[in-house]
Amino acid sequence: QVRERLKQQVLEMTEKFPGFRPGLAILQVGNRDDSNLYINMKLKAAAEIGISANHIKLPNTATEADVLKCIASLNADPAVHGFIVQLPLDSDKPINTEKITNAVAPEKDVDGLSSINAGKLSRGDLGDCFIPCTPKGCMELIRQTGVQVAGKRAVVIGRSKIVGAPMHDLLLWNNATVTTCHSKTSTLAEEVGKADILVVAAGRAEMVKGEWIKPGAIVIDCGINHVPDSTRASGKRVVGDVAYSSAKEKASFITPVPGGVGPMTVAMLMQSTVESAQRFLEKFQPGKWTIQYNQLTLKMPVPSDIEISKSCMPKPIDQVAKEIGLFPDEVELYGQTKAKVQLSVLKRLQNQPDGKYVVVTGITPTPLGEGKSTTTVGLVQALGAHLHQNVFACVRQPSQGPTFGIKGGAAGGGYCQVIPMEEFNLHLTGDIHAITAANNLVAAAIDARMFHELTQSDQALYNRLVPSVNGVRKFSDIQIRRLQKLGINKTDPMALTKEEVNAFVRLDIDPGTITWQRVLDTNDRFLRKITIGQSVTEKGFTRTAQFDITVSSEIMAVLALADGLDDMKKRFGRMVVASSKKGQPVTADDLGVTGALAVLMKDTVKPNLMQTLEGTPVFVHAGPFANIAHGNSSVLADKIALKLVGKDGFVVTEAGFGADIGMEKFFNIKCRYSGLRPHVVVLVATVRALKMHGGGPAVTAGVPLPKEYTEENLQLVAKGCSNLNKQIQNARMFGVPVVVAVNAFKTDTKAELALVVQHAKEAGAFDAVECTHWAEGGKGALALARAVQRASQAPSNFKFLYNVELPVVDKIRLIAQQVYGARDIELLPEAQEKVALYTKQGFGNLPICMAKTHLSLSHDPEQKGAPTGFVLPIRDIRASVGAGFLYPLVGTMSTMPGLPTRPCFYDIDLDPVSGEVNGLF
């Protein structure tokens, strides 16, 4: 009956949670025959019920440390819901059995032998512990008789930790009056004669006589003893601790030996395993979060960002991970405040429905920025800490260059920050450093390959590329791929002709076509143009090159768009670094560096987990440029977050720069590759930016704002709303509801803020609300959060702006006309050549990633508002084939920013005593 019931429960569990099965592990030391027999019984029962059972067998040479190490591994394995250590431990080495049983995690101790479970049982916490299987089975047998335990006199013979002692506690807490007898009990027969319920676990053959037993008593015999029997082939038979033949005449119910308590013990082990699995599902039910939020202590005036960050004690990051339903083996800790999350969580939650997908973007900003990051954090704090929704923020990792430059950090600001901000803004978990190393490995490989091809014969190159090892030559996998690309279907290195060897070893790179540059994560303007190869060892092979900022590397864009390690590796292989002198693309795979790049980048693919000031979770992952790349955090972070929040939760991500750049690329590039569909656009606007678009004086970083920005001017605001209107139209063009967040500054007046809200609604926004989250944290974004909730229920008819099958020029023209408001585009000669080249090379069907100024809808940063009628000049087009887009260059820009006269690092310092970071970010 028990097994049938458990089988049905397991079936219901697997139907409700596809792919899930209760897991039981049995750890055995040695090779005792009796232990093997018992284990086989348990494995058979588990298979019959549907439990996934795993038998781990250690040799009898195993030490205590070996056993403890195995137990630690099983404790951490989320697929194991219960496990037992088969006793006795058959080892040649001394092992403390008590230490071993207590090492088992109490929540997995389905044998109920740990001190914690025993202690809970003795206290009567029956619903919060595991009970040893034999007493539990005995209790189930007693219940099956229909006799009420409460008020009955019960006698337990034996006081072992496995049966006697826990049986006493179990009967006691079921309201029986219990007497425990043992080898020193002088009046054993007398005590037995008083028992309404008798449980015997003494380990002595037929010790309890039938005449001792009270008429009508329930007798549970737990004994297993061997006595001589000449009639049996083995010369012995199994008997219990009770003289069965005489006792059955007086007992109302009695268990036989064998066949009574033994099978029930196995059944109860299965029941405890199923119960443990049910507790596990209840605790880790996907989408069911139990979060401890941080209470903010708001101050006025608002302190500096780093003061606020340091005033809030972040939760241990492993606690955050546990709160949001991550398993211990899915989290790699990097100290107390940051961690990486394994991609295996996606497989575990593959059947979990996604949550609501929200993208935060903005109107065309001033050089100071309008608070998209702050709004992103404020929104998730409001949804989580105040409205108690499951919510995740997914943001980009900032570059160290701007952090030490004039821009500073990117953790948000005021009472809406990712913390600790110094960890967020600097090394984090080393992803950007890994990208720097990987990128520069490719750059080094390019120049080294050209040098060797110029200085060596075909055969010498071949001997180095395919060396003989112990007299045997063998192509590597990446070399096989190159041969196949060349149409050479041979796998024997000795079989290539001279012509085939020449084609294989010579990439024949045209130096003038090299698009791959070295990178550095520091603003260093003097590296914008350099000459390399000046050492005498390079034999005069010099060329002009440059350094870019690390986050502009195509490897960063690949990381942001990859949907797994395998996909990332394939994208690395497709990266085009130059063309050959015959016009053929030369890839990282041709250089033979794909595998090495994957090794350098293997940890970067895992999203970084942090938290906000109010304790909501944040993924910080990838930070591609928003001009020559798509300016969005990673696809993987979004996908994992959407699974973790569950169908009623929210994932809020941020797109770089204004809606015409970051949002357009979010839709046309990121969503195209990820397959995800957004539910809401949050468009951030400020009175300051709208005044600039209305004709206000220039806004310059590091310079006090002119009075037009600090005094009420409704006319400037109204005129500048042309930019707001256009960006609302841009968002609605993609079929997604728009909520405008008016980010209020202390210099804004109520009339100005009300005017922006009015204009936004008239322009077609689903809603528009004033936000004060910078000064109030999540509380100040509550109206925004409620508007986003409502908007997420509205119809979202998401669509792409263009079909990638269109010609390159047509795709560029659509973006220019529909998103920017241009009359037409003009391709300069170099851009025309690239269109022809990339189309010929097979890259014409890639999405478009426009690289233009973020300070205007047009190509001219001085043109504010919503200009129309202009012709957009395309001076060049470049390809990020691995990332998966072409990027036309509009106007002029540098991919290596310079340091200002007074950089931010003047204000940053370290306290040598406490080790704390002080200053500004």
Side-chain angles (χ1 to χ4, degrees), residues 676-718:
L676 300 174
R677 297 295 177 261
H679 294 81
V680 184
V681 171
V682 173
L683 184 70
V684 179
T686 63
V687 168
R688 178 179 67 193
L690 293 173
K691 285 181 175 179
M692 178 191 71
H693 288 296
V699 175
T700 306
V703 176
L705 286 171
K707 64 181 179 63
E708 286 85 350
Y709 296 97
T710 57
E711 297 175 0
E712 185 175 284
N713 192 323
L714 297 177
Q715 186 177 356
L716 273 183
V717 174

Side-chain angles (χ1 to χ4, degrees), residues 523-530 547 896-898:
N523 289 3
D524 192 342
R525 65 191 313 131
F526 291 95
L527 293 177
R528 289 174 178 171
K529 196 67 69 176
I530 59 171
F547 269 82
M896 173 54 82

Side-chain angles (χ1 to χ4, degrees), residues 229-291:
D229 188 343
S230 58
T231 65
R232 303 291 177 94
S234 63
K236 57 184 178 181
R237 61 186 172 89
V238 176
V239 298
D241 291 352
V242 177
Y244 181 78
S245 57
S246 58
K248 71 177 182 178
E249 302 301 329
K250 298 188 73 174
S252 58
F253 296 91
I254 186 169
T255 59
V257 177
V261 172
M264 282 303 295
T265 298
V266 175
M268 290 302 104
L269 174 62
M270 300 303 120
Q271 181 167 308
S272 291
T273 302
V274 172
E275 287 171 359
S276 182
Q278 290 169 333
R279 292 178 192 176
F280 174 86
L281 287 174
E282 180 65 24
K283 186 177 181 182
F284 291 101
Q285 190 173 336
K288 183 179 180 180
W289 292 7
T290 305
I291 288 195

Side-chain angles (χ1 to χ4, degrees), residues 79-349:
V80 174
H81 308 110
F83 84 85
I84 66 169
V85 178
Q86 184 68 41
L87 299 178
L89 300 169
D90 180 24
S91 175
D92 296 341
K93 306 292 190 298
I95 297 180
N96 185 329
T97 302
E98 184 84 1
K99 186 175 182 180
I100 295 301
T101 54
N102 279 324
V104 178
E107 66 273 16
K108 296 188 177 186
D109 174 29
V110 287
D111 246 350
L113 300 182
S114 69
S115 296
I116 290 177
N117 277 318
K120 287 183 176 180
L121 175 57
S122 68
R123 290 192 321 185
D125 298 335
L126 304 187
D128 189 34
C129 71
F130 284 112
I131 299 163
C133 298
T134 298
K136 189 173 183 178
C138 294
M139 205 67 209
E140 183 65 26
L141 288 167
I142 294 168
R143 288 196 190 97
Q144 289 291 325
T145 68
V147 174
Q148 292 294 316
V149 176
K152 297 293 189 295
R153 293 181 65 90
V155 171
V156 178
I157 301 178
R159 52 184 174 181
S160 73
K161 295 177 182 177
I162 297 176
V163 182
M167 192 70 231
H168 172 280
D169 294 336
L170 199 52
L171 286 163
L172 181 67
W173 293 112
N174 277 273
N175 300 306
T177 302
V178 188
T179 300
T180 296
C181 298
H182 45 78
S183 59
K184 304 298 183 184
T185 303
S186 58
T187 56
L188 184 59
E190 182 182 336
E191 296 297 336
V192 170
K194 300 175 185 175
D196 301 311
I197 299 169
L198 176 65
V199 181
V200 188
R204 293 174 60 183
E206 299 183 329
M207 179 187 72
V208 176
K209 310 305 179 187
E211 56 268 23
W212 296 359
I213 295 170
K214 180 180 179 180
I218 298 170
V219 179
I220 308 292
D221 188 350
C222 303
I224 299 178
N225 309 282
H226 293 90
V227 298
D229 188 343
S230 58
T231 65
R232 303 291 177 94
S234 63
K236 57 184 178 181
R237 61 186 172 89
V238 176
V239 298
D241 291 352
V242 177
Y244 181 78
S245 57
S246 58
K248 71 177 182 178
E249 302 301 329
K250 298 188 73 174
S252 58
F253 296 91
I254 186 169
T255 59
V257 177
V261 172
M264 282 303 295
T265 298
V266 175
M268 290 302 104
L269 174 62
M270 300 303 120
Q271 181 167 308
S272 291
T273 302
V274 172
E275 287 171 359
S276 182
Q278 290 169 333
R279 292 178 192 176
F280 174 86
L281 287 174
E282 180 65 24
K283 186 177 181 182
F284 291 101
Q285 190 173 336
K288 183 179 180 180
W289 292 7
T290 305
I291 288 195
Q292 174 188 327
Y293 296 108
N294 298 331
Q295 296 293 318
L296 296 179
T297 303
L298 304 178
K299 293 183 180 180
M300 291 297 291
V302 177
S304 70
D305 290 349
I306 197 162
E307 284 181 76
I308 294 172
S309 176
K310 288 168 65 176
S311 71
C312 179
M313 177 64 70
K315 296 179 289 187
I317 201 65
D318 57 341
Q319 178 185 331
V320 176
K322 187 176 181 180
E323 289 175 343
I324 61 176
L326 288 168
F327 296 164
D329 70 330
E330 293 171 340
V331 181
E332 295 177 10
L333 300 180
Y334 281 67
Q336 293 293 312
T337 57
K338 53 192 176 181
K340 278 193 168 292
V341 174
Q342 297 276 5
L343 303 189
S344 58
V345 68
L346 275 175
K347 183 177 181 181
R348 174 171 67 87
L349 298 177

Side-chain angles (χ1 to χ4, degrees), residues 265-479:
T265 298
V266 175
M268 290 302 104
L269 174 62
M270 300 303 120
Q271 181 167 308
S272 291
T273 302
V274 172
E275 287 171 359
S276 182
Q278 290 169 333
R279 292 178 192 176
F280 174 86
L281 287 174
E282 180 65 24
K283 186 177 181 182
F284 291 101
Q285 190 173 336
K288 183 179 180 180
W289 292 7
T290 305
I291 288 195
Q292 174 188 327
Y293 296 108
N294 298 331
Q295 296 293 318
L296 296 179
T297 303
L298 304 178
K299 293 183 180 180
M300 291 297 291
V302 177
S304 70
D305 290 349
I306 197 162
E307 284 181 76
I308 294 172
S309 176
K310 288 168 65 176
S311 71
C312 179
M313 177 64 70
K315 296 179 289 187
I317 201 65
D318 57 341
Q319 178 185 331
V320 176
K322 187 176 181 180
E323 289 175 343
I324 61 176
L326 288 168
F327 296 164
D329 70 330
E330 293 171 340
V331 181
E332 295 177 10
L333 300 180
Y334 281 67
Q336 293 293 312
T337 57
K338 53 192 176 181
K340 278 193 168 292
V341 174
Q342 297 276 5
L343 303 189
S344 58
V345 68
L346 275 175
K347 183 177 181 181
R348 174 171 67 87
L349 298 177
Q350 60 186 335
N351 296 307
Q352 169 80 348
D354 288 347
K356 307 292 187 185
Y357 198 25
V358 180
V359 61
V360 176
T361 184
I363 64 170
T364 306
T366 69
L368 305 179
E370 309 316 307
K372 291 195 309 297
S373 299
T374 305
T375 302
T376 299
V377 176
L379 174 57
V380 298
Q381 289 183 164
L383 284 167
H386 297 269
L387 297 180
H388 304 292
Q389 299 286 305
N390 291 355
V391 63
F392 234 111
C394 292
V395 299
R396 289 185 291 167
Q397 179 182 354
S399 167
Q400 185 177 279
T403 294
F404 283 128
I406 197 167
K407 178 181 179 293
Y415 286 103
C416 297
Q417 297 185 48
V418 180
I419 59 170
M421 67 175 301
E422 63 271 25
E423 298 284 348
F424 175 91
N425 283 313
L426 295 178
H427 307 286
L428 198 57
T429 57
D431 290 352
I432 291 181
H433 300 316
I435 292 166
T436 303
N439 181 98
N440 292 344
L441 176 66
V442 178
I446 294 169
D447 289 303
R449 186 60 175 263
M450 288 194 300
F451 175 79
H452 291 306
E453 287 187 23
L454 287 166
T455 57
Q456 297 182 40
S457 67
D458 288 357
Q459 193 58 48
L461 280 169
Y462 193 63
N463 289 341
R464 285 167 174 78
L465 287 169
V466 195
S468 175
V469 180
N470 297 324
V472 179
R473 286 190 176 189
K474 185 180 178 182
F475 289 126
S476 65
D477 290 344
I478 201 167
Q479 290 174 329

